[in-house]
Amino acid sequence: MVSSPSPSPDGGKDSNLMRRILVLGFWVQGFRCLPWMAINFFVKDGLNVDPSTLQLLQNSANLPMVAFLQAVSWLAIAILSPSGISIFTLSLCLLVSNLGASIAEVANDAIVAGIGKQPTMSPKTSQSSSSGELQSFVWIASSAGGVLGNLLGGIAINRYAPQAMFLIFSLTVALQLFVTITVHESSLNLPKSSSGVGIRKQLSELSVALQKPEIAYSIAWLAASNAIIPALTGTMFFYQTQYLNINSSVLGISKVFGQAAMLLWSIIYNCYLKSVPSKKLIAAIQGVMAVFMLSDLLFVKGVYRSMGVPDSLYVIVFSGLLEVLFFFKILPFNILIAQLCPSGCEGSLMALVASANALSFIVSGYLGVALSSFVGVTGSDFSGFPQALLIQAVCTLLPIYWSSCIPDDKQAKTSKKNE
C-alpha cells in the first residue's frame, strides 16, 4: 500500500474501506484452494508420483508460507507443460507462492489484531467482543472464498487442464495486488507506531511478550497440538482417487462442504459462541477431531459401506468436515492471542503464531510420510492404512491432556489490566 502523511478525518469511511480491504485479502486466502486442488491431480496424473512424494510436496511447500510473488509463481506453473516441469521446479514455484501468501496472511492477521484492540465507539461493547466480531467477520470472507474456489475447482478439473486453473488464480491475485497498491495506507486509519522502530526493538517487544507464560504456553500448545498429529492427507487423496476411484467432482463437492462448514462455524461463533471460554471451545474441537479420525478408520475398514452408506456420500460429508476441523480451533485461539497481546506487538506476535502454526503443519506432514512408510502404504497397497489412521486418532487425543497450558478468559482479562 502507498503511505501518505495525513490521516483520514472520516472514521466511518475508514472503517468501511478497511473492511473491504480485509475482505478482499481473506477472500483471496480462501480462494487459494482453487489451484491447490488442481496441483494434487497435476502431480498425481501429470508427474506420476507416489503418495509419499505428494505429501512431501504438500507440506514442504509450506516452509515459507505478497500478491506479486503468488501471481508470478502460479503464472509460471500455468505456462509450463507437465513434460517440461520437474518436481524441483514445481516445488520452487510453490515455495515462492507461499512466501508471498505468508506475508499477506501475517499482515492481514496483524491488522485484525491491532484494530480489534482499539477502543470501540460504544461503551457497551467490550474489547474482546470487538476483536471476536472482526475475527469471525474476516473468517466468513475467507470461507466464502474457499467455498467458491472449491466449487469452481471441482467443476473445472474435469473440463479444463490444471494450468487453466493456475492461470485464473494468478489473474485473481494480480487483481488483488492492483487494488491494494492503489489504496493509501493513511486512508485506512491504522494505529500509528512510533517512528524509528527497528527490528531490534520489535524483537525486544516480542521477547517481553513471550516472557508471559500465558502467551508462550498458548503458542506452544497450538504448535504441539498440530505437530503431534501425523497428517495423512496425501495418502487419503490417493486412497480415494486410486483405490476407490472417487470422481474429482465428488472431491470438489467435499471441499465445498468443508468450506461451507467453516463459513457456518464463523457465523455461529460470531452470533452465539463469543461468550464461551476459548479454552473450552479449543479442547472440544480437539476432541471432535479425534472422533472424526476414528470415523475415517471405520470408513477405510468398510463399515459404512456395509451399512449402505455410499463412499461418495461419506467423502463429501465427513472427509470434507475433517479437512477443515484442524482450522476450527484457530478462530478462538487467534481471538485469545489478540486479547493477550501487548499493544504495539501485534504484528510480531501474529507473525510468530503464523510461523509456529505453519511449522507445526510441516512437522505433522513429515510425520505422516514416516507413518505411511512405516505401515507400508503405497500407491497400490493400502492394507496398512487402518493402522495409520488409528495411530493418528490416538495422537489427536493427546493435546487435550495438556490443554491446561491455554489460559482461560479471566486470565486474559487480568493480564490486560496489568499491562
Side-chain angles (χ1 to χ4, degrees):
M1 297 178 190
V2 180
S3 296
S4 179
S6 59
S8 172
D10 195 329
K13 291 183 178 179
D14 292 342
S15 177
N16 290 333
L17 179 60
M18 171 57 69
R19 288 204 168 210
R20 292 191 188 102
I21 295 295
L22 286 174
V23 163
L24 177 61
F26 278 88
W27 183 88
V28 171
Q29 282 181 221
F31 196 65
R32 292 180 72 227
C33 61
L34 172 70
W36 277 98
M37 177 185 291
I39 276 290
N40 288 336
F41 286 96
F42 182 75
V43 172
K44 181 177 78 75
D45 300 327
L47 302 183
N48 299 314
V49 303
D50 56 32
S52 296
T53 304
L54 172 61
Q55 192 150 312
L56 278 171
L57 178 64
Q58 287 174 333
N59 293 281
S60 296
N62 288 327
L63 280 171
M65 263 272 331
V66 173
F68 175 74
L69 295 177
Q70 289 191 80
V72 171
S73 300
W74 286 111
L75 185 60
I77 300 174
I79 293 174
L80 296 172
S81 64
S83 59
I85 188 171
S86 64
I87 284 290
F88 175 78
T89 304
L90 182 63
S91 300
L92 183 61
C93 289
L94 295 178
L95 282 167
V96 173
S97 170
N98 277 355
L99 173 61
S102 65
I103 297 173
E105 185 175 339
V106 170
N108 284 334
D109 289 340
I111 290 173
V112 171
I115 293 177
K117 291 167 69 66
Q118 291 182 356
T120 57
M121 299 300 295
S122 172
K124 296 180 181 181
T125 307
S126 67
Q127 178 180 314
S128 61
S129 175
S130 173
S131 176
E133 181 181 357
L134 187 57
Q135 286 276 7
S136 55
F137 175 76
V138 296
W139 265 61
I140 291 173
S142 177
S143 300
V147 168
L148 181 60
N150 282 311
L151 184 60
L152 292 178
I155 297 173
I157 197 68
N158 285 328
R159 301 185 180 184
Y160 306 102
Q163 288 89 336
M165 300 168 68
F166 304 151
L167 179 60
I168 291 172
F169 184 72
S170 66
L171 294 177
T172 303
V173 179
L175 177 61
Q176 180 198 14
L177 174 63
F178 174 77
V179 171
T180 53
I181 63 176
T182 57
V183 177
H184 289 274
E185 186 175 335
S186 62
S187 65
L188 302 178
N189 197 28
L190 292 172
K192 303 294 182 181
S193 59
S194 57
S195 59
V197 175
I199 187 171
R200 183 175 299 180
K201 176 66 173 176
Q202 292 290 337
L203 289 175
S204 175
E205 292 179 349
L206 179 61
S207 175
V208 172
L210 291 177
Q211 289 177 14
K212 296 185 174 183
E214 61 270 22
I215 293 179
Y217 292 165
S218 296
I219 297 175
W221 183 90
L222 179 68
S225 69
N226 293 327
I228 199 174
I229 305 171
L232 299 170
T233 50
T235 305
M236 180 60 78
F237 176 78
F238 263 80
Y239 177 78
Q240 293 171 349
T241 56
Q242 293 286 99
Y243 187 78
L244 298 179
N245 294 316
I246 298 292
N247 192 275
S248 59
S249 60
V250 174
L251 295 181
I253 296 172
S254 171
K255 292 179 181 295
V256 170
F257 189 89
Q259 290 295 330
M262 184 93 80
L263 178 61
L264 182 61
W265 160 245
S266 306
I267 296 172
I268 292 175
Y269 182 89
N270 190 39
C271 296
Y272 305 108
L273 299 179
K274 287 186 293 186
S275 59
V276 178
S278 299
K279 180 177 181 177
K280 290 184 178 180
L281 271 179
I282 294 170
I285 292 169
Q286 195 74 25
V288 172
M289 287 168 53
V291 172
F292 270 74
M293 287 178 178
L294 285 173
S295 181
D296 260 1
L297 171 61
L298 297 178
F299 166 64
V300 172
K301 296 285 286 185
V303 173
Y304 294 109
R305 193 180 304 115
S306 65
M307 295 170 59
V309 178
D311 291 336
S312 57
L313 179 61
Y314 180 88
V315 169
I316 289 174
V317 178
F318 287 91
S319 293
L321 280 174
L322 181 57
E323 188 168 331
V324 298
L325 268 177
F326 282 89
F327 303 99
F328 270 42
K329 62 187 176 185
I330 295 179
L331 176 56
F333 183 86
N334 280 353
I335 293 171
L336 179 65
I337 289 295
Q339 294 173 10
L340 295 170
C341 179
S343 298
C345 193
E346 293 87 354
S348 302
L349 190 58
M350 294 310 295
L352 178 65
V353 171
S355 300
N357 212 25
L359 181 60
S360 67
F361 280 119
I362 292 169
V363 173
S364 169
Y366 289 166
L367 284 178
V369 173
L371 178 59
S372 295
S373 300
F374 176 74
V375 298
V377 173
T378 64
S380 57
D381 182 8
F382 294 92
S383 58
F385 197 24
Q387 182 183 354
L389 289 171
L390 178 60
I391 295 173
Q392 184 188 48
V394 172
C395 291
T396 308
L397 286 171
L398 294 179
I400 299 177
Y401 290 100
W402 65 77
S403 60
S404 58
C405 295
I406 308 171
D408 54 33
D409 289 26
K410 292 181 180 180
Q411 287 178 281
K413 292 177 182 178
T414 302
S415 175
K416 294 306 297 178
K417 288 180 181 179
N418 293 336
E419 283 190 11

